[in-house]
Structure formats: structure tokens, C-alpha cells
Amino acid sequence: MFQYSISPTGERFQLPEQEDYSKEFSRLEDVVKNQRAFGREIVLVMGLGFVGAVMAAVIADATDEKDNSTKFVIGMQRPSTRSFWKIPFLNRGISPVSSEDPEVPLLINRCVNEKKTLMATFTYEALKLADVVVVDVQCDYLKEALGNIQDGRADMDALEESLEIIGQHIGPETLVLIETTVAPGTTEQIAYPIIKKMFRKRGIQTDPLLAHSFERVMPGRNYVSSIRDFWRVCSGVNEEATRRVVKFLNEVINTEQFPLTVLDRPIESETTKIVENSFRAAILAFLDEWSIFAERNGVDLIKVIKAIKVRPTHSNIIFPGPGIGGYCLPKDGGLGVWADRHIHGFEDDIFKMTPLAVNINDTRALHVAQLTRDALRNMGRPIASAEILVLGASYREDVGDTRYSGSELIVRRLTEMGAELRVHDPYVLHWWEFEKQDEYPASSHSLKRFFRGQERLRDLRVEQSLEKALHGTDAVILAVRHKHYLNLDPDEVVESAGGPIAVIDCFGILEDEKIRRYFELGCEVKGLGRGHVKRIKDQVREGKPPLPLNIPMQFAEDKR
Ligand SMILES: NC(=O)c1ccc[n+]([C@@H]2O[C@H](COP(=O)([O-])OP(=O)(O)OC[C@H]3O[C@@H](n4cnc5c(N)ncnc54)[C@H](O)[C@@H]3O)[C@@H](O)[C@H]2O)c1
């Protein structure tokens, strides 16, 4: 039986068979021989995900002062049914990640089809050909409970497996650069011994050359430049590894304008990443309680934040939206807390703020379900069997990344409450967290297990036509600040829906005139941190009566 990997566009690719591996390696050997003749260094990027795919292209695009390409890059991706399609895609010059940054497809196409400095493969044997290996595989943190990060553990399986494979194949002089965000201590206390053990088994007596330099990539409008034109931190396990990683990063990253920070030990580079993301998680979590305060007391937190931001010392205050998704912020604090006990062996519990911040962020989206319920109740409509449209499945604006998005929690809670959910997202073709909820992100690790009545969500499909998605809906949840949602016209929304609806603004998307217009149209509006909507509603009710739009009485009346 052949196995297939299906791309997000629906194309089927047969997974390689045993005999394909030796053919593939011979092909690579020939290519690499030619590339070495050009004097190019061979770099293997392991893991073609959100980070690896674009990092591979950034490296492949590197040139010297005479504008000659200095690197040939082999992107290596394990041939799983979920990810194998990325290899044929990349080999055609098509980006396996979708984003709003027009430079991503241009860069990948240029490196694959014009410069011919980038290709992808499925065989681990490619590691034998590499001068540098860049590790961009995932390192997850598995949570056993909703809103309690301490009940969980780092999942290093993919990373440890990758390191073992690297140790089995690379040459003694190969630099291994770990870019994966890891539990602090991993490079020296986990990766180094794994590779060293493999070296000794193979009779290699030298020590592995290992370094850590984490990614600060933001997969949005500035995806490429957030990798190439941004400050990096790095550190090697010894002097030679440090010298090599500094040389490599100077050759591929714009370190002239964005100088490198070189730290003494990899644990310091690893800790930098965890602390910077925990700091971010904490400033976001901090506003959760003020967001609820604002809703209760007639305050528009969006305006409060704008007012605070003018102070240069407070300019990074940021409104949290419906939870803090993405791959990094929900897990990175957990990796740090876990490392203290499980890598370094401390029994006491020194962490208070980091777990609290992650826990608050992990459950913030549940409040959106309450707001939706209340808004519909004010319109005399029960939440059970209400048709609810969620606008945006991604965790942030203008990307197609749904990992740990607040929208997932909103859909799950509202489904539990009996509502019928639909979703629109211009960047997402398949919302795998639902379509494959029994095996994604890992078997038995779907958030599904924290809610009841989730089975039918397997059939949830992402609607691509906004107009179709709006038709006949009772409530619209503005969950993500995708550019497509910023200027929606209330009259058109209500017309497409076929009458007044509940509108829930999770991200400060609606300006006051729009909120006012929705009320004039007989809609109900609520929003995270937007306590002032009640004032606008009262003004509309007291001043101008709602426009005559054929609104049934019970919808127009506030039941509270
Ligand atoms: N996504 C972001 O915005 C972001 C930002 C900064 C840092 N990071 C960090 O970068 C790392 C990678 O993140 P990502 O978002 O690219 O993850 P991802 O899940 O999108 O990609 C990981 C890839 O590695 C592949 N892989 C796993 N094991 C492998 C193996 N043995 N051989 C070859 N390939 C293998 C997976 O199939 C997958 O394609 C993580 O540590 C993450 O925390 C991510």
C-alpha cells in the first residue's frame, strides 16, 4: 500500500519507498560535487517548517562581496504524511508556508529556479554532505490541563531523534547550529552528549562542534527580514564552535546593520529566548484583568492603551486579543520552568509569574464565548443552535498559522455551549486542529479533550467567501486583525447576514462610528476590553432610534 502526503492545495504526493533513498542520495552527491566546484559551503537545514523553510532560503540567497553565492542549501524534511509535500513544493520553487510577505515566494523561487542554490530532500544521508547543519525541528511543551502549565512536560522526541540522526551521519568538522527554542541547558546537557555518544560509536574521537542561536522570526508581513535583518544572539559549546557559528551568521545574516550578541555559553543563548518570550507573555497577560475591568466599568481599553503608548517608556504595552496563540508564547515559559527541575534537578518551585502569565493567556479566549452568549441573549436569541461565524483562524494577523490560536478555543467553547460554528480565514485553507483533531497536533493532544461535544468539529471547513460565510449568521466574532476585516462596512455585513446580528470585537478592530452604526442597524456589539460600547448603545437608543430595518422587537430590546 502506497502512502500519500496531501498538500494544503489538495495535491497528493506518494511517500518515498525504500529503493528511492539510494537514488536520492546519488542525485544529491552529484549536485553537491558541482556546488563544491563553485567553492560553496554545503548547509543542511533540518525541518522545513515556518522557520526552516524561510531560513533555508535566506542562507541560499547569501552572497560574497562580488555577489557570488557562497552557500548551497539542502532543506531536509522527514517524509511524514503530514509534511512530505513540502519537499516537492520547495523543489518546484514554491513556498511551503503561506504569508503576507511577498518576499517569501520571490526568495524561494529565486534560490531554487534562478540561483539554483536551494533544494529539498527526504533522506537523512544528506547530512553526510553538510559542512553546517541548522536544526529547525520543533520542541514542544505538552500541557496536560487547560490553564495549568505546570501540569505538563517538554516534548523533546523530535529534537532528540534529529540529534541522534545527526550524530550518526555528520562528519567530525560539521558545525551543528541549533535554532530550535529549547529548554535552557539542552545544547550542552542533552544535544552534546547525544552527538558525542554517536561519534564515539563511529570511532570519531573529536568533540562535536555545537552552537545555539535562536530565531526571532515573525511570520507576517516582514517574514524574511525578521530572519535576515534582525539582531541575533549565539553561543558555542567551545571556542571553535563559537568561532564557526559567528563566521556562519556573519555570512548569512545582515549582522553589519544588526550586530550579533555572542554569549559565553549556549545556556545563556537558550535562556535569552525563553526570558524574552516569557516577558512578552507576561505583559500581555497583565492586561487580561484590566480588560475585564474595562468591560465592567465603561472603559475602552484600546483608547487607554493608545494614551499610555505615547510615553516612550511604556511604548510596548500591547492589547492581548483573544488569547496569545502562536507556536512560541504559549510554550516557551513552560520549557524554562520544566528545565529547572528536569534538566538541572532543582526541587523547589521558584517560578510564579511565568506560569501565571501563560495560564492567563491560555484561557483568555474562553471569555469571548461568554461575550457572544451575552450579546445574543440581549437580542433574545439563545446560544444553543445559534449560527456563529468566527472571522480569523490564525493566531495573528496576516499569516496562515493556526497553532494555539485563540480562535480554536472560541470555537471549542461555543460548540460545547451548543452553537453551530463556521469560520472564515483568507490565509487558511485547512484548519487541521479540527479536521484532524484526533491526530493533530499529536494524538491525544488536541484541545478537544478539554471540552465536550467536539466530535462534529472534524467537519468544520474554512469558508473562503466572506459573503457566503456571513449569510444567515446570528453572530460574527472578529477574532483576528487580518487586513480583510479592518474596514468591513456594517451595512454590508448586516445585509449579507440577512438582518441584525451580534458582533464581538476581540481585537479593538471596530472604531466608534462602526460600533454606533451596528447599534443603529439593530445589532448588539460587545468586545474584549471595550466597556464603552454600552455608552454608545445608550446614545443610539436615546438619541436616534435604530434605522427601520425590519427588526423583530425582541432583537432590538436589551434584556438586561
Ligand atoms: N514559528 C515561529 O514563529 C517561531 C519563531 C521563533 C522561533 N521558533 C522556533 O523555531 C523552531 C521551529 O519552529 P517551526 O515553527 O518552524 O516548527 P514547525 O513545526 O513548523 O517545523 C518543524 C519541522 O521539522 C520537521 N521535523 C521534525 N523532526 C524532523 C526530523 N527528524 N528530520 C527532519 N525534519 C523534521 C517537521 O516535520 C516540521 O516540518 C521551534 O523551536 C520554534 O519554537 C518559531
Side-chain angles (χ1 to χ4, degrees):
M1 274 289 277
F2 296 128
Q3 279 194 302
Y4 291 90
S5 169
I6 300 173
S7 75
T9 51
E11 205 175 335
R12 280 156 63 92
F13 295 97
Q14 191 187 315
L15 262 53
E17 303 267 278
Q18 204 49 50
E19 64 269 19
D20 296 325
Y21 282 80
S22 54
K23 272 191 241 157
E24 174 73 353
F25 185 56
S26 309
R27 177 181 82 95
L28 290 174
E29 276 185 313
D30 290 344
V31 174
V32 163
K33 208 169 138 194
N34 287 334
Q35 292 291 334
R36 285 210 189 279
F38 290 120
R40 291 178 187 156
E41 194 170 41
I42 310 301
V43 181
L44 185 137
V45 176
M46 205 166 182
L48 296 176
F50 282 92
V51 176
V54 183
M55 178 63 182
V58 166
I59 302 169
D61 203 39
T63 53
D64 60 18
E65 21 348 298
K66 290 187 189 138
D67 221 21
N68 294 319
S69 296
T70 53
K71 314 279 174 209
F72 177 72
V73 181
I74 305 172
M76 201 262 127
Q77 169 62 52
R78 63 178 170 189
S80 60
T81 46
R82 198 166 82 209
S83 294
F84 175 70
W85 61 268
K86 295 175 187 174
I87 297 169
F89 259 50
L90 205 114
N91 281 334
R92 289 177 192 165
I94 301 170
S95 169
V97 291
S98 71
S99 106
E100 189 56 15
D101 183 354
E103 208 184 339
V104 172
L106 292 177
L107 175 71
I108 290 183
N109 182 53
R110 181 167 70 238
C111 293
V112 174
N113 293 321
E114 291 169 29
K115 294 184 161 187
K116 301 197 188 301
T117 50
L118 174 62
M119 66 170 51
T121 189
F122 50 84
T123 175
Y124 289 129
E125 283 200 285
L127 285 159
K128 292 178 182 164
L129 307 169
D131 302 306
V132 178
V133 174
V134 178
V135 181
D136 280 323
V137 307
Q138 71 275 26
C139 173
D140 289 320
Y141 186 84
L142 300 179
K143 297 170 187 171
E144 300 301 338
L146 186 64
N148 180 9
I149 198 170
Q150 264 137 326
D151 191 1
R153 65 180 170 88
D155 175 11
M156 318 251 294
D157 292 356
L159 183 66
E160 284 179 316
E161 187 198 332
S162 305
L163 293 165
E164 241 179 75
I165 295 163
I166 289 169
Q168 286 159 0
H169 290 90
I170 58 167
E173 297 302 318
T174 306
L175 170 73
V176 178
L177 166 56
I178 299 176
E179 290 200 321
T180 302
T181 306
V182 290
T186 297
T187 303
E188 287 155 288
Q189 302 206 37
I190 295 175
Y192 184 79
I194 290 178
I195 299 182
K196 189 170 170 176
K197 196 167 147 200
M198 292 298 151
F199 271 19
R200 296 296 178 266
K201 267 194 187 167
R202 293 167 59 202
I204 299 172
Q205 291 313 318
T206 52
D207 287 343
L209 292 172
L210 258 174
H212 185 262
S213 177
F214 59 89
E215 276 292 353
R216 283 170 165 154
V217 54
M218 295 293 288
R221 275 176 223 141
N222 303 313
Y223 203 153
V224 174
S225 70
S226 73
I227 291 185
R228 187 189 50 210
D229 309 307
F230 214 64
W231 295 272
R232 280 279 193 140
V233 176
C234 69
S235 181
V237 290
N238 54 32
E239 240 174 73
E240 178 58 5
T242 304
R243 188 191 68 75
R244 289 276 303 275
V245 73
V246 168
K247 178 175 178 291
F248 178 72
L249 291 173
N250 279 331
E251 285 165 354
V252 298
I253 304 287
N254 180 4
T255 52
E256 235 165 69
Q257 279 171 288
F258 301 91
L260 273 179
T261 302
V262 184
L263 295 176
D264 291 345
R265 291 178 55 201
I267 190 174
E268 288 168 338
S269 165
E270 294 162 337
T271 305
T272 307
K273 174 69 180 181
I274 299 296
V275 173
E276 95 182 17
N277 273 355
S278 299
F279 168 69
R280 184 92 171 157
I283 58 171
L284 285 155
F286 154 75
L287 279 184
D288 178 64
E289 59 204 29
W290 289 108
S291 172
I292 293 168
F293 173 90
E295 286 167 33
R296 289 179 179 171
N297 295 293
V299 173
D300 184 8
L301 191 64
I302 302 296
K303 295 194 194 93
V304 169
I305 288 172
K306 270 193 196 148
I308 294 171
K309 261 178 174 309
V310 296
R311 264 189 86 167
T313 49
H314 289 54
S315 61
N316 68 352
I317 188 166
I318 177 174
F319 183 74
I324 319 304
Y327 185 44
C328 298
L329 261 55
K331 75 172 166 57
D332 287 356
L335 290 174
V337 172
W338 180 88
D340 196 48
R341 175 164 298 179
H342 297 282
I343 296 183
H344 305 288
F346 291 99
E347 288 301 324
D348 56 347
D349 190 4
I350 53 170
F351 288 101
K352 304 277 180 291
M353 291 186 62
T354 299
L356 183 62
V358 178
N359 293 343
I360 288 171
N361 294 338
D362 277 358
T363 47
R364 179 167 159 84
L366 298 175
H367 183 52
V368 178
Q370 294 175 3
L371 292 180
T372 313
R373 175 202 62 200
D374 294 348
L376 284 168
R377 189 187 283 155
N378 287 351
M379 299 176 80
R381 304 182 198 184
I383 189 83
S385 76
E387 292 281 345
I388 298 176
L389 169 64
V390 176
L391 292 183
S394 312
Y395 82 94
R396 56 164 294 182
E397 68 274 18
D398 302 328
V399 294
D401 186 351
T402 56
R403 289 181 290 180
Y404 307 110
S405 74
S407 303
E408 180 182 352
L409 228 63
I410 296 173
V411 168
R412 293 203 179 280
R413 176 62 104 209
L414 283 169
T415 299
E416 186 175 67
M417 290 160 78
E420 294 293 332
L421 271 295
R422 24 175 131 160
V423 61
H424 173 272
D425 193 308
Y427 298 97
V428 179
L429 290 176
H430 293 276
W431 201 352
W432 298 120
E433 280 81 352
F434 293 107
E435 275 190 49
K436 293 196 185 279
Q437 60 180 357
D438 297 315
E439 68 232 53
Y440 186 80
S443 70
S444 79
H445 265 90
S446 163
L447 288 177
K448 162 186 165 213
R449 69 197 194 282
F450 301 123
F451 300 87
R452 61 174 198 91
Q454 303 287 297
E455 293 313 316
R456 65 199 152 110
L457 286 173
R458 211 174 285 121
D459 302 324
L460 188 73
R461 294 294 176 268
V462 184
E463 183 57 66
Q464 297 301 312
S465 154
L466 182 55
E467 208 187 331
K468 218 167 128 198
L470 279 165
H471 184 72
T473 193
D474 292 298
V476 169
I477 299 176
L478 292 156
V480 185
R481 289 185 64 87
H482 285 328
K483 63 175 187 221
H484 311 70
Y485 306 145
L486 300 183
N487 296 310
L488 292 178
D489 177 43
D491 288 76
E492 285 169 18
V493 169
V494 171
E495 197 186 319
S496 297
I501 53 172
V503 181
I504 316 300
D505 182 3
C506 301
F507 244 123
I509 290 173
L510 297 177
E511 286 133 23
D512 287 358
E513 310 86 76
K514 295 244 170 88
I515 296 173
R516 186 180 181 81
R517 185 63 189 151
Y518 276 117
F519 280 124
E520 285 172 355
L521 292 166
C523 297
E524 183 68 31
V525 182
K526 288 197 177 286
L528 289 174
R530 313 213 69 184
H532 74 309
V533 292
K534 177 76 170 63
R535 209 161 50 237
I536 298 177
K537 180 174 165 177
D538 291 345
Q539 285 164 2
V540 169
R541 297 282 148 87
E542 285 158 19
K544 284 188 258 161
L547 291 183
L549 236 193
N550 230 358
I551 306 157
M553 268 317 283
Q554 80 266 29
F555 293 168
E557 224 172 76
D558 191 342
K559 297 279 185 207
R560 274 182 311 174

